[in-house]
Amino acid sequence: MITNIGRTLSAAAVTAAAGVALAAAPANAAAPAWETLSRPSPEQGAAYILPFDAENAVGKTRQPMCGSCKLSEKLWQKTGNSWKELTPPADAGIDALAGTAADDVWAIGRKDTSTGVFRVNHYDGTSWSGNLNPDTQKLELLAAKAVSRTSLWAVGDSRANGAPAVTHWNGTSWNTTTFDQIQGVLDGVDVRAENDIWAVGYRTAGGLANDRFQGLALHYDGTRWTEVPVPATAKVSTLLDSVRSSGPNDVWVTGHILDEKGLGAPRTGAYVLHWDGATWTRRDVPGAKFANSAAVYDGRVHLGVSGGSGSKLVRWTGSAWEAVSGVQAGLDGVSTLATTRDGALYLAGFSGSDTIFGGREYYLQRLGAPTVR
């Protein structure tokens, strides 16, 4: 199915968050203590974790840089304090993970082959499906969110015309929407409800030859997709990577900015936006280079960052970012934040440099569900 985007909202203004600084965490904050979890693999670093509850999770590890060797990724299943390798089909890709339980896991990604076909494989606790990509010739899927065992939303783009794309699995079949009037890609998705879904990425500005990009945000209300315009940043490219929503008036988007050299240029800084239902406001974390992952814990957005100085895990107080205490000392970055249905927060982080000589340490931590204050 191909739908049109209803541009029902006028161009939203962005307010620069000048003077926003890291505030000290309040001394009387009531919160459970962080616990350090066992790592899936001593040889590989935890690049991503998808927790389901206190006992069960899946995780992806990545081999550190190793000179001329071929980097490899592995998939793991956590039961209690133990991890076991979960071997996907030989042709599967595991760039993105989604699911609702240990017997409802989706692995999505592009296998390193000459075809470059994006694959979608499902694990039912016993065996893996074959490739379930609804259009193996055209559809590239980059991120996904599972709502239930019969509802998976995935986003990416269409090879056919370079248009952003969204597809939905209802338990038996796919329904795909492409936005053919836009040239671009969707890189992140969040589903608060089946009638409250956000997808973000970027669109080309002036065509592919211009090599300039602008942030793209779309919202689904259960009936149609609507573009929520993200103002461009002059002389640079802005790309949106992830989105987290705790309500229609509280949506957080992370991304990054490139200088005018285009996609091949180095990142010039983390980029954080907040949508209050009417306006986008810049809420960048001072000093951070990368905004890697966001999650809503205890009613507040938490952001994992890397690069620069200061805490690598911060939360929004309503007026400023404050450091979250209790995380692993010496963290250089947080790669993943994720929450479970009971409200616990999981963190995958690292310290040290990822070089051909190794030297990077990886950590997994869990913060239990908030206590009653």
Side-chain angles (χ1 to χ4, degrees), residues 3 7 71 74 96 98 104 143 169 184 188 197 230 233-234 243 250 265 267 302 310 313 344 347 366 373:
T3 64
R7 297 180 64 96
L71 297 178
K74 293 183 178 181
D104 179 32
W169 170 258
I197 302 171
V230 178
T233 305
V243 57
D250 189 27
R267 298 186 180 191
H302 286 56
L313 179 63
L347 177 154
R366 177 182 182 272
R373 290 182 172 87

Side-chain angles (χ1 to χ4, degrees), residues 58 74-77 84-88 102 105 123 125 128:
V58 292
K74 293 183 178 181
L75 188 61
W76 304 83
Q77 182 176 356
K84 71 173 182 178
E85 187 173 353
L86 189 61
T87 305
V105 179
Y123 182 66
W128 287 91

